[in-house]
């Protein structure tokens, strides 16, 4: 081995000192590299770069300078491997102190690192949590069926004398003016709008209700604060509107033709049973995630740990970078985003920092629990094998499957897979040991967000939807 860990000492709760030594044979190779590097960069009269003899470098720069350069090379090359071998998790750059520097001796040095703090966990068995009902009512089934019918609805022209109502589709032309001048985004020809969808601002859409085909109307409205051009917010605008066509949605009948489009269902009862099973699956996911949420809220609130500011700063920077990238993708500015949310930049930054601190605390709690419950959550060989098969079965394309197989069979891939199983088993352990109070039936409808359930969706998307816990890297 090229190095030796002579000792590892705890300086305080979140600081470690390693006394290390790099073999002389490895250090000599770094000395050779140091001479080469200096020779390529140095400007010494009478000598070409890259051709400067070692003795001339010693005269001009000093032997100690060369040895320091060599020490820097050795340490930078071996530091990551040393840290991996000691299972130390630094959270910031190390502080290096050279303790022995000689050409014919091992390189001696001390490394002081800030590490992840160890949290003081509360009692984590018997945590109170709410168990949301997974029962599905006939009303919920019918609502989902109608949602699907709505997706396959057709648009039929309304009677000529029927006025516009909510959820009608209208074709209209309009011209908007401020102080007699048209403004960008304020006019359109043959614009199709679903009234009530808030595609345009609410007061504009509301003014259409009651109008009829071929009717013209002038309205004066105050432009909203979240309008695209912030300079126009709060200004009064005059709109000339012409309604050209009114259409309404007509839902398809639930007959043999409709069921044929949905899949292989012999009758409506079989289709409703399919919808019911999907709703139950979805509610089970929501139930599990609510229990996990309750458990982690308790753990975060009752765990004692001082999180180093460097961890919060680093995580905050990553969150902000991700946020800024999303704004670029959506082609919007931070200023407009904050204006739409009616929030100051200072408040926004504080919320991101709080979110970062919460993520880090959850991660530290999970890491501590994984150590404490290691014997109960370590994956077996069969569990690892089954997990690999499950991962591969969820990817049908041969090319994707081959890439994934190559990754999960690699050391890094298997390590990632084992970590995922371990975490899932820990969460299962916490749920098994929680004190779950079942939700009253009258509140059960709150347990699931409305989602459109269509036949033949990817089953794998319903599975493995546990609350996401942030982890470094």
């Amino acid at each position: 081995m090229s190095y030796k860990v002579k000792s590892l000492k705890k300086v305080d709760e979140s600081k470690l000192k390693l006394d290390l030594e790099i073999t002389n044979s490895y250090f000599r190779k770094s000395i050779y590299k140091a001479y080469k590097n200096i020779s390529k960069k140095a400007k010494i009269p009478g000598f070409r770069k890259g051709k400067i003899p070692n003795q001339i470098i010693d005269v001009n720069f000093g032997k100690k300078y060369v040895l320091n350069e060599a020490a820097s090379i050795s340490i930078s090359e071996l530091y990551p491997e040393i840290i991996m071998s000691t299972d130390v998790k630094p959270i910031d750059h190390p502080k290096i102190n050279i303790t022995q520097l000689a050409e014919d001796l091992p390189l001696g040095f001390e490394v002081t690192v800030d590490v992840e703090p160890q949290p003081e966990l509360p009692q984590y068995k018997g945590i109170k949590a709410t168990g949301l009902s997974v029962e599905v009512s006939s009303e919920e089934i019918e609502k989902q069926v109608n949602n699907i019918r709505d997706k396959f609805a057709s648009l039929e022209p309304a009677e000529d004398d029927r006025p516009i109502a909510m959820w009608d589709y209208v074709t209209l032309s309009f011209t908007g003016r401020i102080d007699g001048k048209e403004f960008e985004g304020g006019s359109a020809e043959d614009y199709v709008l679903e009234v009530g969808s808030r595609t345009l601002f609410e007061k504009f859409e509301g003014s259409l209700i009651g109008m009829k085909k071929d009717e013209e109307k002038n309205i004066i409205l105050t432009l909203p604060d979240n309008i695209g051009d912030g300079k126009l917010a709060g200004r009064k605008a005059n709109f000339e509107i012409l309604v050209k066509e009114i259409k309404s949605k007509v839902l398809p009948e639930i007959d043999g033709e409709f069921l044929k489009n949905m899949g292989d269902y012999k009758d409506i009862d079989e289709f409703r049973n399919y919808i019911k099973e999907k709703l139950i699956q979805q509610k089970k996911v929501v139930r599990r995630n609510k229990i996990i949420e309750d458990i982690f809220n308790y753990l975060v609130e009752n765990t004692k740990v001082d999180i180093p500011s460097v961890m919060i700063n680093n995580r905050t920077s990553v969150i902000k970078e991700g946020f800024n990238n999303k704004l670029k993708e959506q082609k919007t500015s931070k200023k407009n985003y904050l204006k739409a949310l009616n929030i100051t930049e200072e408040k926004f930054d504080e919320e991101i920092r709080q979110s970062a601190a919460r993520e880090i605390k959850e991660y530290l709690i999970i890491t501590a629990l994984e150590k404490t419950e290691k014997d109960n959550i370590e994956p077996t060989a069969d569990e690892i094998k089954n997990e690999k098969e499950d991962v591969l079965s969820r990817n049908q394309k041969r090319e994707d499957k081959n890439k994934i197989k190559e990754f999960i069979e690699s050391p890094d891939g298997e390590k990632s897979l084992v970590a995922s199983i371990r975490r899932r088993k820990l969460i299962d352990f916490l749920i098994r040991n929680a004190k779950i109070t079942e939700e009253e039936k009258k509140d059960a409808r709150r347990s699931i967000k409305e989602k459109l359930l269509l036949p033949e969706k990817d089953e794998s998307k319903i599975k493995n939807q546990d609350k996401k816990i942030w982890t470094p890297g």
Side-chain angles (χ1 to χ4, degrees):
M1 188 174 279
S2 305
Y3 61 87
K4 180 165 69 175
V5 180
K6 296 169 72 176
S7 68
L8 195 161
K9 297 176 183 177
K10 192 174 182 179
V11 178
D12 57 39
E13 286 303 312
S14 59
K15 200 183 293 286
L16 295 176
K17 181 180 283 188
L18 293 85
D19 188 5
L20 304 165
E21 190 176 87
I22 292 175
T23 62
N24 183 249
S25 60
Y26 193 96
F27 185 48
R28 280 184 175 277
K29 292 176 185 176
S30 298
I31 294 172
Y32 174 79
K33 290 178 184 178
Y35 276 119
K36 283 288 186 184
N37 291 344
I38 296 168
S39 178
K40 289 176 183 177
K41 297 175 183 177
K43 293 181 180 179
I44 299 176
F47 296 94
R48 286 184 299 156
K49 286 185 178 181
K51 301 293 183 180
I52 305 171
N54 294 354
Q55 299 90 332
I56 301 301
I57 291 173
D58 288 344
V59 170
N60 283 268
F61 290 90
K63 190 72 172 182
K64 189 172 182 181
Y65 177 85
V66 177
L67 294 178
N68 276 317
E69 286 292 300
S72 179
I73 292 169
S74 288
I75 293 169
S76 63
E77 288 178 349
L78 290 176
Y79 177 73
E81 184 182 335
I82 294 169
I83 291 301
M84 286 285 288
S85 71
T86 56
D87 204 29
V88 171
K89 295 181 179 179
I91 59 174
D92 202 3
H93 299 296
K95 293 178 182 176
I96 309 290
N97 177 42
I98 304 294
T99 57
Q100 181 169 276
L101 187 67
E103 188 171 9
D104 56 349
L105 293 173
L107 171 65
F109 64 105
E110 292 176 338
V111 174
T112 304
V113 290
D114 291 318
V115 294
E116 295 173 357
Q118 297 301 309
E120 186 181 330
L121 297 171
Q123 173 56 252
Y124 52 85
K125 293 181 181 178
I127 296 174
K128 293 180 181 178
T130 300
L132 302 178
S133 172
V134 297
E135 290 184 14
V136 174
S137 67
S138 57
E139 290 88 352
E140 288 175 295
I141 295 170
E142 287 309 308
K143 189 168 186 177
Q144 283 294 336
V145 170
N146 287 330
N147 283 344
I148 295 170
R149 291 174 67 205
D150 185 76
K151 186 174 176 66
F152 291 90
S154 59
L155 294 177
E156 301 292 340
E159 300 83 1
D160 287 346
D161 61 342
R162 183 174 79 71
I164 294 172
M166 284 288 280
W167 311 119
D168 279 342
Y169 281 77
V170 299
T171 302
L172 50 94
S173 295
F174 57 90
T175 303
R177 294 184 176 89
I178 296 176
D179 297 333
K181 295 181 180 179
E182 292 187 30
F183 59 94
E184 188 177 353
S187 303
E189 287 288 330
D190 297 324
Y191 188 90
V192 179
L193 171 72
E194 183 184 17
V195 178
S197 65
R198 296 190 178 184
T199 306
L200 302 177
F201 56 97
E202 191 174 357
K203 288 183 180 178
F204 183 93
E205 293 188 18
S207 70
L208 300 174
I209 293 175
M211 292 182 70
K212 296 182 179 180
K213 183 180 178 181
D214 296 326
E215 182 179 343
E216 295 184 54
K217 186 176 185 179
N218 279 1
I219 59 171
I220 297 174
L221 297 175
T222 301
L223 298 179
D225 291 339
N226 61 351
I227 194 168
D229 186 348
K231 294 177 182 177
L232 300 178
R235 300 284 300 277
K236 289 193 179 298
N238 178 275
F239 290 93
E240 297 173 4
I241 303 171
L242 169 62
V243 176
K244 294 187 172 181
E245 191 173 26
I246 304 171
K247 290 185 176 182
S248 57
K249 264 184 184 176
V250 178
L251 303 185
E253 292 296 324
I254 306 176
D255 53 19
E257 192 64 30
F258 175 80
L259 292 176
K260 197 181 293 181
N261 290 328
M262 295 298 100
D264 188 18
Y265 302 99
K266 63 183 180 183
D267 54 35
I268 184 60
D269 289 335
E270 186 178 348
F271 182 61
R272 285 194 173 98
N273 284 335
Y274 168 85
I275 295 295
K276 181 179 180 179
E277 288 304 312
K278 288 294 179 183
L279 285 170
I280 290 172
Q281 285 182 45
Q282 201 179 84
K283 285 194 173 192
K284 284 179 178 178
V285 171
V286 174
R287 174 188 170 90
R288 178 179 171 87
N289 283 342
K290 179 64 170 72
I291 293 170
I292 295 170
E293 181 184 355
D294 289 349
I295 289 170
F296 273 89
N297 282 341
Y298 175 86
L299 288 171
V300 168
E301 194 174 320
N302 293 279
T303 296
K304 296 176 182 177
V305 62
D306 291 324
I307 303 173
S309 58
V310 65
M311 289 187 80
I312 298 175
N313 293 340
N314 290 343
R315 183 60 189 155
T316 298
S317 296
V318 171
I319 294 174
K320 283 185 175 180
E321 184 180 352
F323 168 76
N324 290 331
N325 288 337
K326 283 186 178 178
L327 288 182
K328 286 179 183 176
E329 289 172 9
Q330 295 168 4
K331 296 180 181 178
T332 187
S333 68
K334 186 177 180 181
K335 183 179 179 181
N336 286 341
Y337 177 85
L338 296 178
K339 193 168 187 178
L341 290 181
N342 193 26
I343 187 174
T344 64
E345 187 160 359
E346 291 74 17
K347 177 68 174 172
F348 175 76
D349 287 345
E350 179 56 30
E351 287 183 1
I352 284 185
R353 191 169 179 83
Q354 288 175 3
S355 176
R358 165 88 185 205
E359 287 181 2
I360 293 166
K361 193 168 186 179
E362 286 183 350
Y363 159 72
L364 293 172
I365 290 168
I366 279 281
T367 303
L369 285 170
E370 284 179 340
K371 288 180 181 176
T372 306
E373 295 297 336
K374 185 177 180 180
D375 292 342
N376 292 319
I377 64 172
E378 199 59 30
T380 64
D382 283 343
E383 286 173 329
I384 295 170
K385 179 174 175 284
N386 292 338
E387 186 77 5
K388 287 179 179 179
E389 291 173 355
D390 185 49
V391 169
L392 291 172
S393 69
R394 295 201 299 268
N395 293 273
Q396 300 303 319
K397 291 183 180 179
R398 180 182 293 275
E399 186 179 344
D400 291 344
K401 190 173 283 192
N402 289 340
K403 286 180 180 178
I404 292 168
K405 185 176 182 180
E406 184 180 347
F407 173 70
I408 61 178
E409 294 295 345
S410 70
D412 285 345
E414 181 151 324
K415 184 178 178 182
S416 175
L417 200 77
V418 168
S420 175
I421 301 170
R422 189 185 294 126
R423 184 142 304 179
R424 188 165 65 245
K425 289 183 73 173
L426 175 64
I427 290 174
D428 289 341
F429 172 85
L430 292 170
I431 291 173
R432 282 198 309 273
N433 286 279
K435 187 177 180 181
I436 298 171
T437 303
E438 296 300 326
E439 179 190 50
E440 293 181 20
K441 286 186 180 180
K442 66 178 181 180
D443 296 326
R445 291 183 190 178
R446 295 188 292 104
S447 68
I448 189 166
K449 292 183 180 178
E450 291 180 17
K451 290 185 180 179
L452 181 62
L453 294 174
L454 290 172
E456 298 175 11
K457 286 287 184 183
D458 184 358
E459 298 283 343
S460 66
K461 292 181 181 178
I462 299 174
K463 300 175 184 177
N464 302 322
Q465 292 186 13
D466 282 352
K467 168 186 164 63
K468 301 296 182 186
I469 307 296
W470 170 79
T471 55

